Amino acid sequence: MNGKLFCTFATSTSKIKDKMKKILLLLTALLTLSACQESMEDRAARDAEETTAKRCPMRLNDEGTLILERITFDKSTRVWKQDFLLDAAPETLEQIDMRDILLKDLKNQPSYKPYMESKFIFQYVYCNMKNPKDTLVDIKLTPKDYE
């Protein structure tokens, strides 16, 4: 009789395990599907907002002459915009090919690959640190630039 009881218990345990596997599989499938529901535009807006909240303003060099102020994403124009404060003379900036530097950096950033695949526009605005309303450089990189 103990043998029958054990077999019944083992069979019912096996059925429970099978049901648990099915439930876990279903939950995993639902979570995967729900994760896929976020559009690339929604993801970019969320990423920009979270990065700005957690990390900005962020000094990008030891001297403190370059600061990332904020990152924004405009869903309607699909523009990923980074606003910087820069302590540099305009004459100095004219000697540097900022567009080429930014393009190389963009292409080398794995985190931007999904955004480039979605053909977003990347805008970099550098304002004068002493007078933030004074724009020193405003560069837009389009899919034509980075593809």
Side-chain angles (χ1 to χ4, degrees):
M1 189 159 170
N2 282 342
K4 280 187 171 183
L5 182 62
F6 179 73
C7 288
T8 306
F9 177 74
T11 303
S12 65
T13 303
S14 176
K15 287 180 182 179
I16 291 172
K17 285 182 182 179
D18 288 343
K19 285 184 181 182
M20 290 296 287
K21 284 181 186 178
K22 287 178 183 177
I23 291 171
L24 285 173
L25 183 61
L26 179 63
L27 285 174
T28 304
L30 288 174
L31 287 173
T32 303
L33 290 174
S34 67
C36 295
Q37 296 300 316
E38 184 178 40
S39 71
M40 190 53 71
E41 289 81 6
D42 290 339
R43 174 183 169 188
R46 181 178 46 81
D47 286 350
E49 188 177 311
E50 287 176 2
T51 301
T52 297
K54 289 179 185 174
R55 297 192 174 134
C56 293
M58 178 190 331
R59 288 180 173 217
L60 299 176
N61 60 11
D62 292 336
E63 299 82 29
T65 57
L66 180 60
I67 297 173
L68 175 61
E69 272 292 296
R70 77 184 131 283
I71 300 171
T72 58
F73 181 74
D74 185 332
K75 291 181 190 180
S76 63
T77 59
R78 298 171 52 99
V79 174
W80 176 274
K81 181 180 172 194
Q82 296 181 36
D83 293 313
F84 298 89
L85 291 177
L86 180 64
D87 187 15
E91 306 83 43
T92 308
L93 295 175
E94 290 173 6
Q95 300 169 6
I96 302 169
D97 187 1
M98 299 259 315
R99 184 177 194 78
D100 190 46
I101 293 168
L102 292 169
L103 183 58
K104 285 179 185 175
D105 187 52
L106 178 64
K107 288 181 176 182
N108 290 325
Q109 291 288 336
S111 59
Y112 289 148
K113 186 176 180 179
Y115 300 149
M116 287 188 284
E117 289 172 353
S118 294
K119 302 186 184 308
F120 288 174
I121 296 168
F122 296 87
Q123 183 176 11
Y124 303 87
V125 178
Y126 292 82
C127 293
N128 188 328
M129 193 175 287
K130 294 173 183 147
N131 182 9
K133 293 182 180 180
D134 181 19
T135 300
L136 301 171
V137 179
D138 186 344
I139 296 172
K140 283 187 179 178
L141 299 175
T142 67
K144 290 180 184 177
D145 297 315
Y146 58 77
E147 287 182 333

